[in-house]
Amino acid sequence: MTATDLPFPGLTGVPTRGDDELLTGKDFTSDQEVRWCPGCGDYAVLKAVQGFLPDLGLRRENIVFVSGIGCSSRFPYYLDTYGMHSIHGRAPAIATGIATTREDLSVWVVTGDGDALSIGGNHLIHAMRRNVNMTILLFNNRIYGLTKGQYSPTSEPGKVTKSTPVGSVDHPFNPVSLALGAEATFVARTVDSDRKHLTSVLEAAAAHRGTSLVEIYQNCPIFNDNAFEAIKNPDTKADAIIPLVHGELIRFGVDGAKGIARDETTGGVRVTSGDDPGVLVHDAHADDPTTAFALSRLTDAGVLHQSPIGIFRQVERATYDDDARQQLVTAEQGEGDPQEALAALISGPDTWTVV
Amino acid sequence: MSKQVQQLDRVIIRFAGDSGDGMQLTGDRFTSSSAAFGNDLSTLPNFPAEIRAPQGTLPGVSSFQVHFADHDILTPGDAPDVLVAMNPAGLKANLPDMRAGSTLIVDSHDFTGRNLTKAGYAENPLEDDSLADWALTPLDLTGMTVEAVKEFGLSRKDAARAKNMFALGLLTWMYGRPTETTIEFLEKRFAKNPAIRDANVTAFNAGWAFGETTEAFAVRYEIKPAPMAAGTYRNITGNLALAYGVVAAGVQSGLPVFLGTYPITPASDILHELSKHKRFGVTTFQAEDEIAGIGAALGASYAGSLGVTSTSGPGVALKSETIGLGVMTELPLLVIDVQRGGPSTGLPTKTEQADLLQAMFGRNGESPVPVVAPQSPGDCFDAALEAARIAVTYRTPVMLLSDGMLANGSEPWRVPEIADLPVIDPAFATGMNHTTTGKDGAEVDDFWPYLRDPDTLARPWAVPGTPGLEHRIGGLEKGDGHGNIAYDPANHDFMVRTRQAKIDRIAESLPPLEVDDPSGEAKVLVLGWGSTYGPIGAAARRVRRTGLDVAQVHLRHLNPFPNDLGDILKRYDAVLVPEMNLGQLSMLLRAKYLVDAVGYNHVRGLPLKAAELAEAITDLITTTTGAEPVVEEVSS
């Protein structure tokens, strides 16, 4: 299987392996010792990514992982691809330079809630509005891990941490709402512990041409353990996870007892009974992001009891890097020797000669 | 009526008016026709940071000074011989720079009640005899312009806007400039609006004809072409030359150029220019902020382009962390700082050289970065190529320190032959460079991203897409050779010293310094860097004409210093360091060479004045050697 066999427009231009060049997850594993805390959700995501990368059909040398700063940003060291562990919050900017100049690379950004949404918030939203061809994995553990336990821009209000001994008074970001507000063309949410769902979302994200934003709920066992208890506990997850599957009714709860319908009074959406004829069919391909945004608002801002999981939005739009490269191709067409052209350029139209 | 023609060897003209009066355009066109005529020239635009400051006020005054001569000149000149003032504020703001006896040509049209008040005049200076010390010629330029262009049916406001072309026509006549270049320019510029086009051409011709016929001016002047080295010349500003240097660096290295940047005065024209040259494989990315601009540029460098970012001092402050990442990851990166007055937002449109220490040290940790500075507008081309050579050869960010005066000033530039330009070799890594013995004792070839070239100490540049060289880099300390994360103390000490040694080693690739000491008898050395080259050179000439000896050395490389600088400094009894800052190069020289450098420092947002600097040099010579000027300095 190669990338071109799949409907993977996101990888158009990236060379693929020959059918006889088999690679496994082991081939994408570097020789570096993984140094996350025992029980960290990052291990599960790393395993899923290492397991999934061979399926892209790409050569290792054509894959680049760029990260910022934080626990999750150590990710590139553990993958035997090209990689850069950069500085806090700037990975989307660095990846923009890589993606714009190199159509033949599959570019990935690994970031966390502090890295992407706090110090790097600006770069994140601008990458998404430009729709630069990259896949952003946003590990959201709702806490600062590497700096040892301060609240993050996704922590719930009132959170007691080292830096907020009497509770945080910050209102959190909803990363999916933020991405949709920035008009990202691919926005999804998944969970570290659900490898099957995680892999299917990563596949769709890689297939997408443009910026794909994947929020991954990721547990930090040291500083914010059980932050996602509601959606991981077998007893509560049916009521907590609102699965979004394109073309299917949005129903959840035990035996699909609950559903999501339009709220006529607010224009948003509301929870209704599963057999309500008004239950919405999820349309991730809708050009208008309004409903996707409404669905994103079903996520609790406080302690998590309920959250939609899946692909919120998946639409086509011209990408910055394709268009920028096309401008170069157009300008270069039919032009001759660069040194001759340079001589003409620097002389300009108004010269005089001294003999 | 045939007029008397008087020969001059040089003239300094300043066009001044409201920022909406088109003074920059007027000055630029006068410069172009002077260049076409073959004079040597140097220009100094001076304009407010506001796009349209309140009309008619002193803060709204915009001016353009052009110095042209029949001989080699180095500066835009200290004091104008002629001021063309288009309104009361233009007169008032510039009069302090005018010597007694110099010429004032003033558009009298707006010297009326409210306009006088706005400029701070209680009485009309054209009528109260307060300008008796100057050769004053008040003319109703606006009125004559409106009359000349009435056939085109423009509104009075649009008609009056052509007054700058009337003034240009008059000065073109007065100094015997060719008219064709300006007319061709106007026809092209206003091709889409025939009425405006015709009005401007007509106003220009009317101004010329007015000079020819009026009795207000009895004399016209001739400034013969200047002898120059054989070659093809053009007029060029520093920002344009710098942009061309970046394009040339791409061509001469075979690398695609990626400019990641954010608009900022006075560097934005570099972005504007480079955005036109996609044909050369130049990508320009107008980022969301300064940090993203340099971040994308560094990403592009990692991916095998020549990454470039352009900014001014405030932008460098924001880019510091990424420059540090470039130092750690040892990737080529060209950081262009077109310096302006600081600190903070400072004086956006004025010049200064106060970012030298920021370029040297403005990062956390031991983070050495080469620093290169151009000395004149045309020299920005060569300096950009040199900065790119160092960045690519040594795998390092390089700071290129231009400034506002170089950026917007212009001079005739001898267009280089492409064959004479340096060739830059990216020398990408293509294969394994190391052999590791595995656990089973078998030898395995692998790639070490931090295994250095023994000559340059540069590490291999292995670009994504190269099979077998997959590796990870980042801001954490690297283990020597293998480049994996390493925290051990001895390794850090070694890597810090090695990064420094790599930058120091650049000095071995530099040519010897040129010492300008015509008599060979000088005891005093004047040492400068950047745009002070012109004023220092002009001041040194003045001093020598008085019979005193002085040597001049100008530094292109501020880090590392050339290897012969220390010996040169020792040869002189005194060293004067003129800078548009409070002594930043002096501080570096004192620290490195224990030399008692004497500072000459001005931070007025304007270039140093050659006459004042000449006095300072003379004083130092007298103090040092006891020698006094033998002859009086004569003007020019």
Side-chain angles (χ1 to χ4, degrees):
Chain A
M1 181 175 63
T2 68
T4 46
D5 293 337
L6 287 167
F8 266 33
L11 300 175
T12 302
V14 184
T16 52
R17 297 195 304 271
D19 288 342
D20 53 341
E21 298 173 82
L22 296 176
L23 292 179
T24 65
K26 196 162 169 287
D27 295 303
F28 285 93
T29 306
S30 79
D31 59 357
Q32 297 298 295
E33 184 194 351
V34 184
R35 291 187 193 165
W36 287 311
C37 306
C40 176
D42 291 358
Y43 282 99
V45 185
L46 177 64
K47 273 284 167 216
V49 169
Q50 285 168 338
F52 147 81
L53 281 178
D55 297 343
L56 289 178
L58 303 178
R59 298 168 181 279
R60 285 185 305 190
E61 64 264 26
N62 293 104
I63 299 172
V64 182
F65 275 77
V66 185
S67 63
I69 294 292
C71 294
S72 59
S73 287
R74 299 295 178 97
F75 207 90
Y77 289 118
Y78 308 136
L79 292 171
D80 199 4
T81 64
Y82 281 89
M84 191 194 292
H85 175 216
S86 75
I87 44 178
H88 210 5
R90 318 304 172 200
I94 290 166
T96 295
I98 298 172
T100 303
T101 51
R102 293 289 299 272
E103 183 183 24
D104 61 329
L105 301 177
S106 171
V107 181
W108 298 69
V109 167
V110 177
T111 183
D113 41 319
D115 193 55
L117 299 170
S118 201
I119 195 167
N122 201 30
H123 308 307
L124 181 77
I125 58 174
H126 287 278
M128 292 189 294
R129 80 165 164 90
R130 289 192 186 101
N131 205 26
V132 184
N133 200 19
M134 64 173 83
T135 302
I136 301 174
L137 309 183
L138 197 172
F139 292 49
N140 182 7
N141 56 15
R142 309 189 73 185
I143 197 76
Y144 281 1
L146 201 60
T147 51
K148 302 192 175 175
Q150 302 83 4
Y151 73 103
S152 93
T154 57
S155 296
E156 65 274 17
K159 189 166 197 70
V160 174
T161 71
K162 273 186 192 155
S163 59
T164 50
V166 291
S168 160
V169 293
D170 266 22
H171 184 77
F173 265 141
N174 176 328
V176 169
S177 295
L178 182 78
L180 291 166
E183 298 189 41
T185 53
F186 184 102
V187 184
R189 177 183 287 144
T190 184
V191 186
D192 58 359
S193 52
D194 185 347
R195 179 157 175 181
K196 190 164 162 245
H197 189 263
L198 176 63
T199 301
S200 72
V201 168
L202 291 181
E203 260 178 10
H208 178 72
R209 193 154 195 88
T211 307
S212 304
L213 187 282
V214 181
E215 181 192 10
I216 304 170
Y217 281 160
Q218 173 248 322
N219 193 49
C220 174
I222 307 296
F223 296 110
N224 202 18
D225 200 16
N226 296 327
F228 307 102
E229 172 67 10
I231 60 170
K232 293 190 177 196
N233 187 328
D235 298 336
T236 55
K237 66 192 263 184
D239 280 323
I241 294 177
I242 304 172
L244 299 178
V245 181
H246 177 71
E248 293 187 11
L249 289 166
I250 309 175
R251 289 199 293 199
F252 65 112
V254 180
D255 300 327
K258 292 189 267 188
I260 301 298
R262 180 73 59 199
D263 184 331
E264 300 298 342
T265 53
T266 65
V269 293
R270 62 186 165 84
V271 177
T272 182
S273 76
D275 53 9
D276 183 333
V279 169
L280 293 172
V281 174
H282 182 50
D283 181 9
H285 301 166
D287 200 43
D288 186 314
T290 306
T291 304
F293 186 83
L295 291 170
S296 77
R297 305 313 298 160
L298 294 167
T299 316
D300 293 308
V303 174
L304 198 68
H305 297 295
Q306 168 187 293
S307 180
I309 302 291
I311 298 169
F312 288 75
R313 187 169 199 236
Q314 186 177 16
V315 299
E316 284 182 27
R317 194 175 83 218
T319 73
Y320 177 87
D321 51 311
D322 283 335
D323 286 359
R325 282 190 298 267
Q326 188 54 47
Q327 287 189 344
L328 256 61
V329 170
T330 306
E332 283 165 358
Q333 263 167 5
E335 296 288 339
D337 177 59
Q339 288 201 325
E340 283 174 25
L342 178 64
L345 172 71
I346 64 177
S347 293
D350 297 320
T351 57
W352 68 96
T353 304
V354 176
V355 287
Chain B
M1 182 175 65
S2 114
K3 304 239 175 160
Q4 186 193 339
V5 175
Q6 187 180 335
Q7 297 288 329
L8 295 176
D9 62 349
R10 62 177 198 127
V11 175
I12 301 165
I13 299 176
R14 185 182 293 177
F15 296 94
D18 200 64
S19 50
D21 283 346
M23 290 298 96
Q24 300 305 317
L25 177 70
T26 308
D28 193 53
R29 293 333 299 165
F30 192 88
T31 302
S32 277
S33 60
S34 297
F37 184 74
N39 294 129
D40 195 14
L41 57 88
S42 176
T43 67
L44 175 66
N46 191 2
F47 45 88
E50 294 76 17
I51 301 303
R52 289 280 186 278
Q55 204 180 5
T57 62
L58 293 174
V61 172
S62 166
S63 71
F64 190 105
Q65 183 164 314
V66 51
H67 180 188
F68 56 105
D70 68 359
H71 58 277
D72 159 38
I73 53 171
L74 296 167
T75 74
D78 293 355
D81 302 303
V82 181
L83 173 68
V84 181
M86 302 304 287
N87 67 354
L91 175 65
K92 176 131 188 178
N94 290 287
L95 197 61
D97 290 339
M98 302 303 295
R99 281 178 284 104
S102 58
T103 300
L104 309 177
I105 299 172
V106 181
D107 183 358
S108 59
H109 193 80
D110 283 344
F111 281 72
T112 52
R114 197 159 153 263
N115 292 311
L116 288 170
T117 315
K118 270 198 279 189
Y121 280 119
E123 301 289 332
N124 185 346
L126 304 182
E127 294 168 357
D128 66 2
D129 225 30
S130 61
L131 300 175
D133 286 347
W134 290 271
L136 171 69
T137 309
L139 300 166
D140 186 0
L141 297 176
T142 304
M144 287 190 280
T145 303
V146 171
E147 182 63 20
V149 306
K150 67 181 174 191
E151 63 180 289
F152 303 108
L154 297 172
S155 69
R156 195 188 148 73
K157 195 175 158 206
D158 279 349
R161 285 187 66 179
K163 67 183 172 184
N164 61 332
M165 287 300 116
F166 189 97
L168 179 62
L170 174 59
L171 273 289
T172 299
W173 168 82
M174 193 176 290
Y175 292 97
R177 313 283 90 187
T179 54
E180 302 80 15
T181 52
T182 301
I183 292 171
E184 273 172 34
F185 170 84
L186 291 172
E187 286 176 344
K188 224 183 275 177
R189 166 115 171 194
F190 298 114
K192 285 182 186 155
N193 192 333
I196 300 281
R197 174 195 66 198
D198 295 345
N200 275 283
V201 172
T202 301
F204 175 74
N205 285 331
W208 196 93
F210 173 75
E212 186 72 6
T213 52
T214 183
E215 290 177 12
F217 303 106
V219 186
R220 62 189 297 196
Y221 302 93
E222 188 171 275
I223 297 91
K224 294 216 160 79
M228 294 189 187
T232 301
Y233 286 79
R234 62 169 292 165
N235 189 48
I236 200 159
T237 65
N239 270 350
L240 185 60
L242 202 155
Y244 285 173
V246 170
V247 174
V251 172
Q252 294 301 94
S253 63
L255 296 171
V257 171
F258 181 93
L259 175 75
T261 188
Y262 187 78
I264 184 169
T265 303
S268 302
D269 280 341
I270 296 169
L271 162 63
H272 303 159
E273 186 59 34
L274 286 173
S275 68
K276 298 176 195 165
H277 302 304
K278 298 181 181 9
R279 175 255 174 278
F280 291 95
V282 177
T283 302
T284 52
F285 170 59
Q286 184 177 314
E288 60 270 23
D289 59 28
E290 297 278 0
I291 300 171
I294 191 173
L298 188 68
S301 282
Y302 176 65
S305 291
L306 175 60
V308 183
T309 192
S310 55
T311 188
S312 189
V316 174
L318 288 163
K319 294 179 196 292
S320 303
E321 192 188 15
T322 309
I323 298 172
L325 181 63
V327 169
M328 200 63 155
T329 54
E330 303 191 38
L331 288 168
L333 183 67
L334 180 53
V335 181
I336 300 163
D337 174 3
V338 186
Q339 300 165 94
R340 65 192 214 185
S344 190
T345 309
L347 302 173
T349 59
K350 312 295 178 194
T351 197
E352 205 160 278
Q353 292 183 297
D355 296 352
L356 176 57
L357 295 182
Q358 181 188 32
M360 288 289 297
F361 304 118
R363 292 165 296 282
N364 60 305
E366 296 287 353
S367 182
V369 167
V371 181
V372 172
Q375 63 183 32
S376 73
D379 187 51
C380 289
F381 180 85
D382 292 326
L385 266 168
E386 170 64 355
R389 176 192 74 86
I390 293 173
V392 171
T393 307
Y394 294 87
R395 321 302 201 206
T396 177
V398 175
M399 299 286 308
L400 178 58
L401 290 184
S402 181
D403 66 36
M405 183 199 172
L406 295 174
N408 294 314
S410 67
E411 65 173 355
W413 177 56
R414 187 152 67 111
V415 181
E417 295 290 335
I418 304 300
D420 296 338
L421 299 181
V423 173
I424 300 169
D425 180 9
F428 289 126
T430 52
M432 307 296 187
N433 62 355
H434 183 260
T435 306
T436 304
T437 307
K439 283 175 196 155
D440 54 359
E443 293 197 331
V444 191
D445 286 338
D446 62 2
F447 175 67
W448 276 24
Y450 280 76
L451 202 59
R452 296 172 189 280
D453 179 293
D455 292 329
T456 59
L457 298 181
R459 76 173 190 92
W461 189 7
V463 180
T466 314
L469 307 192
E470 295 84 6
H471 65 283
R472 277 64 55 191
I473 57 174
L476 285 168
E477 182 61 285
K478 303 282 168 288
D480 177 36
H482 55 74
N484 293 320
I485 301 172
Y487 295 120
D488 85 84
N491 177 76
H492 179 57
D493 187 86
F494 178 81
M495 292 299 277
V496 166
R497 292 175 195 278
T498 302
R499 284 186 288 266
Q500 181 66 52
K502 180 180 81 166
I503 301 307
D504 292 344
R505 197 161 289 193
I506 294 166
E508 292 180 11
S509 72
L510 306 182
L513 284 167
E514 286 177 30
V515 181
D516 177 30
D517 181 7
S519 68
E521 301 287 321
K523 301 289 180 206
V524 171
L525 170 70
V526 187
L527 181 69
W529 67 281
S531 72
T532 53
Y533 173 76
I536 293 173
R541 286 181 188 177
R542 282 170 178 260
V543 170
R544 288 171 192 151
R545 280 197 296 268
T546 68
L548 294 175
D549 300 307
V550 63
Q552 182 189 359
V553 168
H554 211 73
L555 296 176
R556 170 182 300 304
H557 299 93
L558 284 310
N559 193 35
F561 286 130
N563 281 337
D564 53 350
L565 179 58
D567 287 339
I568 291 171
L569 291 170
K570 281 191 203 135
R571 280 188 233 152
Y572 296 90
D573 295 343
V575 179
L576 185 72
V577 184
E579 296 182 83
M580 295 185 288
N581 59 44
L582 294 186
Q584 301 196 359
L585 176 60
S586 294
M587 184 187 284
L588 296 175
L589 294 170
R590 285 169 164 268
K592 181 158 169 114
Y593 300 107
L594 297 176
V595 59
D596 189 15
V598 179
Y600 176 85
N601 307 96
H602 281 288
V603 279
R604 298 180 291 205
L606 292 166
L608 302 179
K609 295 199 172 190
E612 292 174 12
L613 178 54
E615 283 178 31
I617 297 171
T618 302
D619 287 349
L620 185 59
I621 293 170
T622 304
T623 319
T624 307
T625 68
E628 304 265 2
V630 184
V631 289
E632 286 267 317
E633 158 69 6
V634 278
S635 179
S636 139

